[in-house]
Amino acid sequence: MSSAYQCIISHTYLIPYLSSAVHAGFPSPADDFLEGHLDLNEYLIHHPAATYYVRVKGESMINAGIHDGDLLIVDRSLEPRDNKVVVAIVDGQLTVKRLKKLKNQQFVLIAENPDFPAIAVNEENNVSIWGIVTNVIHPV
């Protein structure tokens, strides 16, 4: 990702929304459950002016359900807190990690894959939080 934001202008697509939940066990009788339409932007994005998308590259967050190639929705208006998944810049490089507060009140960025080390949030590592991951979009 370059240092400047790349703005993507998109169209709004209203997708049909079924009011009934889909059963993952035994099927339920089919009824006409069409309730209306759903705009995923309205559902997934709460602060449009502070929200951006970024694509994941790598395997450090696989145990959090974040995979290589996934699309993250990131909100810069949310306050970074303990245990939130964040997008951060570490020494000039973007990364996605879980923010953890240690007993000594210091913060670290934790990977959700034991093959990757934790990153201390301190002046030496030049860490800056660029937002909180609110949603992950990936194919099944």
Side-chain angles (χ1 to χ4, degrees), residues 30-97:
D31 292 324
D32 187 10
F33 293 111
L34 184 60
E35 182 173 298
H37 292 88
L38 176 68
D39 178 355
L40 287 179
N41 291 312
E42 289 179 20
Y43 184 73
L44 298 175
I45 299 172
H46 302 288
H47 306 106
T51 299
Y52 65 93
Y53 300 98
V54 66
R55 182 123 0 236
V56 175
K57 182 170 176 63
E59 302 286 330
S60 73
M61 295 299 288
I62 57 172
N63 292 336
I66 300 173
H67 302 97
D68 186 54
D70 285 355
L71 188 63
L72 303 179
I73 300 174
V74 184
D75 190 332
R76 291 193 70 165
S77 72
L78 300 176
E79 190 71 28
R81 294 185 214 198
D82 182 41
N83 214 33
K84 292 292 185 182
V85 175
V86 302
V87 171
I89 294 184
V90 179
D91 293 327
Q93 300 292 316
L94 281 175
T95 189
V96 58
K97 299 288 184 276

